[in-house]
Amino acid sequence: MNSSATSSTYRWAVIGTGGMADQFVADARHGNGGEFVAVCSRSQASAQSFADRHGIALAFDDLDTLLARDDIDVVYIASPHTQHRQQAMAAMEAGKAVLVEKPATLNAAQTQSLYDTAERCGVLCVEALWTRFSPVYRSVLADLRSGRIGHVRHCQASFGFAAPADPEHRLNAPQLAGGALLDIGIYPLLLPLDLFGVPDDIEGDVTLGVLGVDRSADLVLHYASGARALLSYSLDFPLPTQAAISGEDGWVEIKAPWFASQAARWQVGQAPVSQQQYPLLGTGYHYEFSAVNRSLAAGLLQCEEHSWADSLALAEVMDRIRKRWGPDYGAELEGI
């Protein structure tokens, strides 16, 4: 990390100019502790257009040129899945902190290599799984862990929409590690991991499309404790994108989209069902932006909201699902 950076303002660059980059950079204005000063894309025209749109000073079409600069402290990686690992490694080797969009890599072995590199280089590396940074999600989890509805026994969660039909779209392209699991299935899987931990067994049904990527899935996660999670995700059709959690003394339903919600319905004991509203500033991406800046100021290599262990646990569960049902991306999944 360049010594000229202060704990109050870290200088960020974004790699990628797609929709995710647009949303994150726009939302970062609600955060604190940093600012975007550079953007990198495969084409100078795309980089400059993005820079103009967001008021960013520097635009590059070459990653090495960006990483060689000493006036950039943090790199946010919003490129397609298959580029995450290489770009994150290059940034860390250049001494830059990294926030890399989920999934951080394509499998647990590659993800472990990221964090090993972060430790060796002494730089922060975080997977950008925004839900874990959301004060709404964290508030609901805190209430559950405090026993608000008693011992939690069951949860269900979904995420689904009709993806673009274009076979070249990244969600449909095997060469870009497309498919439902890595892009949206990671969200339903997050909830039972936070509630119950790593499942003892996974049953279900996964549908693969004609292009070779997974399109939808219905999964049941079983635990030795008797807890159970019912999860669904799809790129073929919309799903309610809500979550419901049941305990021995009640239930809570997190309203859509549950991973960035602003409302929940609670039924506790014999009391009537009540609606609870939660303030959520902006879209919600800026919470991880601010958390990274706080962690940098504290000299940490990871964020407590979504630690390396958290990230690896998710990757390992997704590996288990791919091994059993697919898809197989060939050489891209080396190490699984």
Side-chain angles (χ1 to χ4, degrees):
M1 186 70 59
N2 188 282
S3 60
S4 65
T6 70
S7 61
S8 59
T9 305
Y10 290 98
R11 299 156 299 187
W12 286 63
V14 56
I15 300 175
T17 55
M20 187 64 249
D22 258 324
Q23 293 180 69
F24 188 92
V25 172
D27 215 47
R29 288 172 169 75
H30 295 291
N32 54 67
E35 63 176 338
F36 276 92
V37 301
V39 56
C40 185
S41 180
R42 287 173 296 178
S43 81
Q44 186 64 34
S46 177
Q48 191 60 58
S49 175
F50 188 96
D52 293 342
R53 193 159 63 249
H54 292 282
I56 292 175
L58 304 172
F60 302 93
D61 63 359
D62 180 72
L63 179 59
D64 291 337
T65 301
L66 180 146
L67 296 179
R69 297 185 66 99
D70 61 4
D71 54 357
I72 293 170
D73 308 302
V74 192
V75 174
Y76 168 56
I77 298 172
S79 53
H81 302 335
T82 49
Q83 299 174 26
H84 288 180
R85 181 173 179 268
Q86 180 183 9
Q87 292 172 345
M89 290 288 202
M92 289 188 290
E93 293 287 356
K96 314 298 185 189
V98 169
L99 177 66
V100 56
E101 257 310 321
K102 60 80 189 161
T105 73
L106 302 185
N107 57 58
Q110 291 180 3
T111 299
Q112 182 65 64
S113 73
L114 271 196
Y115 301 142
D116 289 345
T117 300
E119 192 163 35
R120 174 174 56 80
C121 294
V123 296
L124 177 141
C125 181
V126 179
E127 182 179 46
L129 185 56
W130 65 321
T131 303
R132 274 227 167 93
F133 297 84
S134 166
V136 177
Y137 182 74
R138 296 176 67 81
S139 176
V140 171
L141 285 183
D143 279 350
L144 291 170
R145 289 165 180 163
S146 74
R148 184 170 177 179
I149 59 171
H151 182 59
V152 177
R153 300 292 303 274
H154 183 277
C155 76
Q156 59 187 56
S158 66
F159 187 1
F161 61 92
D166 179 5
E168 297 302 314
H169 191 281
R170 67 173 186 84
L171 289 173
N172 303 320
Q175 68 273 19
L176 296 178
L181 175 61
L182 296 184
D183 207 79
I184 62 174
I186 191 172
Y187 289 107
L189 286 169
L190 171 70
L191 185 61
L193 281 178
D194 282 339
L195 294 174
F196 310 125
V198 175
D200 294 287
D201 185 44
I202 303 174
E203 297 179 345
D205 182 44
V206 176
T207 300
L208 300 182
V210 294
L211 297 178
V213 302
D214 62 313
R215 303 297 305 175
S216 61
D218 296 297
L219 303 175
V220 183
L221 278 57
H222 295 275
Y223 294 83
S225 66
R228 182 179 296 179
L230 308 181
L231 312 177
S232 298
Y233 51 89
S234 177
L235 296 177
D236 283 335
F237 45 81
L239 287 167
T241 313
Q242 298 191 87
I245 302 151
S246 297
E248 293 179 338
D249 194 35
W251 52 261
V252 58
E253 179 186 69
I254 310 174
K255 307 301 287 184
W258 68 265
F259 43 81
S261 184
Q262 297 189 57
R265 296 171 65 236
W266 291 85
Q267 196 281 316
V268 182
Q270 300 303 310
V273 174
S274 62
Q275 177 110 345
Q276 185 170 351
Q277 294 295 132
Y278 300 86
L280 185 68
L281 183 63
T283 305
Y285 292 105
H286 64 91
Y287 294 110
E288 59 189 344
F289 174 78
S290 297
V292 166
N293 293 324
R294 288 194 303 272
S295 297
L296 286 170
L300 303 177
L301 300 187
Q302 54 188 306
C303 288
E304 64 91 12
E305 292 91 342
H306 186 51
S307 69
W308 295 348
D310 293 332
S311 173
L312 285 164
L314 264 173
E316 287 164 358
V317 171
M318 291 194 293
D319 282 0
R320 287 168 62 181
I321 293 168
R322 282 202 300 271
K323 281 182 179 179
R324 184 166 177 181
W325 291 288
D328 180 359
Y329 296 117
E332 293 292 347
L333 295 184
E334 182 180 354
I336 287 185

